[in-house]
Amino acid sequence: MDIGQRMGETPGLTPTEQELAHTIVGLGPLLKDYSIKELAQEAHCSVATIHRLCRKLGLEGFKDLKVEMARAQERMRMTGNVDINFPFDKGWPAARVSASMRSLYERTLAETQELLDRDALDHAADLIAGARTVNVVTESHNLYPANMFVDRLLSIGHAALCEESIERQVRCSLAMGPDCAAVCISYSGVSMAVSRVLPILKERKVPTVFVGTPAAASLNPGLDAYLGVSDAERYQGRITQFASHLAVHYVLDTLFGCVCARTWDESMKFLKKSMPYTRKDGLEDRNPGPLSSDWPEG
């Protein structure tokens, strides 16, 4: 979720901190021109109160607060005032729903691309490309993009699995070692899969990539690579998972693309070898592309 929502939903704020948060939201784009002392004067509070609020919001300090506010303003400028959590309302015509969903998609993808650390993405791709097998750990609605990611890895010859039950995820993790890799997906960072499986992966020294919001990543330190997703969606006060689902899907597809690019020759050989076994009889490819004579050589 963006910084405005976070200030409204963070539990345990004192009345003074709540008033400070209200002042910050009211300042909006003007905050960038304020020093911390000027903000304290504006909000009738101490500099220490600002530091405490920043920590409660998961930020390191006032500079990070200004960056987050600037990000929120840029989101508004790019995509308008779309409600990520309720992107349509009673009686809306199809044209308005369609436009709102497009704004939601554009905003989510732009935010997630901004959060993706390129070095972390490269490192994650290297870990997966060199792994004997890849275990994707997640639960609930994230199982769908997780299984799509597994299917993509299998399509280019990389052994991968995603068990649905926590019990099977635990057992698979216990059977893994440093020559494997794991991808843990959790938007909030507090799922049962995370609490049960991550300690096992650490104990077994399995290189692990975490996909989730920056706040979720901060709850699970010490892993090998962190791939951030848009945090604009609330954890509970939403109609369903639109933005979080899309963000996870985008990150996993991007990660797959990086893995495939690193293993291009081997991947193309496997794809070509597997075609006689996986193609559907009776279906002609109307746009054969690389399935014909110009198939990429590996």
Side-chain angles (χ1 to χ4, degrees):
M1 64 186 74
D2 68 26
I3 191 64
Q5 291 176 329
R6 219 185 305 172
M7 284 190 284
E9 298 181 17
T10 298
L13 296 186
T14 66
T16 302
E17 290 165 350
Q18 291 174 1
E19 185 60 33
L20 170 59
H22 180 75
T23 300
I24 292 168
V25 172
L27 286 171
L30 299 178
L31 182 67
K32 70 179 189 311
D33 298 322
Y34 275 64
S35 68
I36 191 169
K37 290 183 179 179
E38 289 170 336
L39 176 59
Q41 292 173 350
E42 182 81 15
H44 305 290
C45 69
S46 66
V47 169
T49 300
I50 298 174
H51 286 305
R52 281 197 302 271
L53 176 63
C54 290
R55 287 195 297 271
K56 289 184 178 181
L57 295 174
L59 305 173
E60 293 195 7
F62 183 57
K63 182 179 179 180
D64 285 350
L65 176 63
K66 294 173 80 169
V67 169
E68 288 297 314
M69 285 295 294
R71 279 182 59 205
Q73 294 298 318
E74 179 63 15
R75 291 167 182 165
M76 293 288 291
R77 186 190 69 79
M78 290 177 59
T79 61
N81 196 25
V82 60
D83 187 337
I84 292 292
N85 304 289
F86 292 89
F88 40 78
D89 208 341
K90 180 180 178 180
W92 279 25
R96 187 173 181 186
V97 173
S98 175
S100 180
M101 292 303 296
R102 174 177 173 174
S103 293
L104 182 148
Y105 271 52
E106 290 174 346
R107 171 175 167 178
T108 301
L109 292 177
E111 291 173 4
T112 303
Q113 185 180 40
E114 181 185 342
L115 284 170
L116 266 180
D117 185 296
R118 307 305 189 266
D119 291 336
L121 190 56
D122 280 334
H123 185 46
D126 287 338
L127 292 174
I128 291 173
R132 173 172 58 85
T133 188
V134 178
N135 183 18
V136 184
V137 177
T138 192
E139 59 184 285
S140 187
H141 62 278
N142 282 325
L143 285 167
Y144 173 69
N147 276 299
M148 290 294 291
F149 180 63
V150 166
D151 285 347
R152 283 161 167 66
L153 289 176
L154 290 172
S155 74
I156 58 172
H158 286 274
L161 71 157
C162 178
E163 298 291 349
E164 295 198 6
S165 76
I166 302 300
E167 181 179 349
R168 295 186 74 171
Q169 289 185 22
V170 166
R171 287 175 175 166
C172 287
S173 299
L174 285 168
M176 298 176 73
D179 60 339
C180 303
V183 177
C184 181
I185 307 168
S186 178
Y187 186 74
S188 66
V190 294
S191 67
M192 187 180 296
V194 169
S195 62
R196 295 273 183 89
V197 179
L198 275 187
I200 297 173
L201 295 172
K202 288 182 178 180
E203 180 184 338
R204 301 289 300 168
K205 294 181 171 51
V206 179
T208 301
V209 178
F210 187 90
V211 179
T213 64
S218 68
L219 294 174
N220 297 279
L223 302 180
D224 296 271
Y226 292 87
L227 305 181
V229 301
S230 169
D231 58 355
E233 188 177 270
R234 297 193 189 107
Y235 298 136
Q236 294 182 329
R238 59 192 177 188
I239 192 168
T240 189
Q241 300 87 2
F242 284 121
S244 58
H245 177 84
L246 177 64
V248 168
H249 221 315
Y250 169 69
V251 168
L252 293 179
D253 278 355
T254 303
L255 178 57
F256 169 75
C258 293
V259 173
C260 190
R262 279 163 171 69
T263 60
W264 185 260
D265 291 345
E266 297 87 347
S267 296
M268 292 304 106
K269 284 181 181 178
F270 186 87
L271 277 169
K272 193 171 184 178
K273 182 172 66 174
S274 68
M275 286 306 301
Y277 302 94
T278 59
R279 71 188 313 162
K280 292 179 173 60
D281 294 336
L283 292 180
E284 290 186 7
D285 195 335
R286 297 176 182 176
N287 183 25
L291 298 184
S292 60
S293 60
D294 62 344
W295 178 274
E297 292 295 331

